[in-house]
Amino acid sequence: MSDQTTKLIHAFSALADLGEELADTRDFEEMVRTTLHVVLGALGVRRGAVAEYMQGDDTLRIVAAWGLGDDAPATLTFAAASAEMLSAPHPRALSLSESDQLELVQHQLGDTLVATLGELRLQLVVPLVVHKKFVGFILLGDKATDEEFTLYEREVVRTMARHIGVGIFNHRLLREVEQRAEESRGLYDNLRTIYRDTVRAFAAAIDCKDKYTQGHSERVGKYSEIIAREMGWSEEQVEGIAVAGYLHDIGKLVVERDIINAPYKIDAKQSSELNRHPAAGYEILAPIRHPYADIPLMAKYHHERIDGRGYPEGLTGDQIPPGAKIVSVADSFDAMTTDRTYKRRKVFTEVVEDFRKNAGKQFAPEVLAALCRAMLKEVNGETKERVIIKLLGKGYLEPEECRPLLVELIAELESGVSLAAAQ
Amino acid sequence: MVDSHDRSPVRSARSGDIAVIYASDYLNKLSGERIERECRAHLGAGCRALVVDFKNTGLVNSIGVSIMLGVIDAAERAHAPLVFSNVNSQAAQLFEILGLTLHASLADDEHAALRMLSEVNVAQPRRVPVGKHT
């Protein structure tokens, strides 16, 4: 095979390799480094670099270099005006070794850069231009043959430069998109934090209205979260149910303070007024665009019962949204385990009895079972945090006493014994 | 061909002041840069001449040529003679066209390369006569 044919085949195969390398987006630096080898090896050039123009910094960042020695600079100063000048499509390769071109090259690149390139023994400068935007240079040194670059070789480099320019341009676009996405993520996280803080503030405001149930909304939020997680809900759904727990009593804001704080059993009229709070809560929450689904519905239906004897709509069984069933259990559990003005809290055996009695009537058995499992895990020390034990206070859940009760109740609830008995 | 995860060591051997580096099949990938680093390591450790053996190397592509130019650069900076051995005829023609043979000699095999280098006084750096290639 003639030398000319071999050279041509070698250049074509280098172009094919280049396409393959540029399609590899795993590591930008490695991609550029490999493409530099392809260019150098295609023409037998002993040293070279690929520099990316960093707009704003007025610098050229050396992304890849070969044969420049260990002391080669990482960046080169480059004027924005030069970048403007080089932004024409299909730019020519600039030669530093041809004296008749030197004045033009110095004008386009600036004296400082030309001097630095000379020190690095780089003599052919190929601008990388994409969509009339200057993105960088391929910088080439002398050939191993010590001959000047031929017209054919300059064309080969220009063709490769167009491909490499597109590679750098695409990478830059990707970097910008990632940066924007990162900023948006940060903004979204901030909004979520503000939302959660607002929800907590509302919960505190709700609880302030009822002096006997301080911290109730926050506790219901935490119990709901624990139950939902135990039931296998996704983290997104768990966050949503926590918010629903925090806000479930928001409707109480429109109920007279005297009725809420009555230190006696309220009459039918007052009871009817108090029972308006789930629907009122729905009216308050519905116009808000919550980042989680069904929060207004969970507030509206948290006093519904499985047997249809709840309010406001008397829904039964699966008509009640699953989230409302969870908030209902969390709400009642907190009511049973905290002191109220008109009654002391129940001891744990009474709570278990209440659960057993009301499973399938007031409460969904699967939700009760989840709460009991979560309690048992905390009692057995299987969880990192002991949220329920902390909320109930020291000494409320005595392991020796409550463990067998929980085990037995869970078995009943999971086998449907209580539910069957109720029906 | 980007293969940053390829970490297998470059095989090399010493014969007195001469280091023999085996190019193997990773020459044509970015990981082939390890060949140049291996050469520099041997030169740094006192080697006075280098042999790069292509016995288990098939075709040499543009990346491989570039890496060999890096080896030439390292050898010249250390004034160390360089011989390529077991180069197949296609690669030899390419090396010749691209000017690599102006800086490194070719030998039929590793023994011929070592013999060639032992005939010159490597302590007095000078170019090894270009040998016959396959």
Side-chain angles (χ1 to χ4, degrees), chain A residues 64-122:
Chain A
W66 188 244
L68 298 188
D70 297 333
D71 302 328
T75 56
L76 304 168
T77 309
F78 190 64
S82 295
E84 282 281 316
M85 227 181 300
L86 292 164
S87 295
H90 314 305
R92 287 178 53 211
L94 308 169
S95 173
L96 273 65
S97 61
E98 292 165 28
S99 53
D100 57 330
Q101 277 196 30
L102 199 58
E103 203 175 325
L104 174 72
V105 171
Q106 277 172 332
H107 173 66
Q108 289 191 310
L109 303 183
D111 292 344
T112 314
L113 182 61
V114 170
T116 310
L117 296 179
E119 284 165 21
L120 293 169
R121 292 190 292 160
L122 295 167

Side-chain angles (χ1 to χ4, degrees), chain A residues 52 54 57 59-62 72-78 113 116:
Chain A
E52 182 187 11
M54 308 306 281
D57 292 356
T59 54
L60 292 167
R61 182 174 77 94
I62 305 292
T75 56
L76 304 168
T77 309
F78 190 64
L113 182 61
T116 310

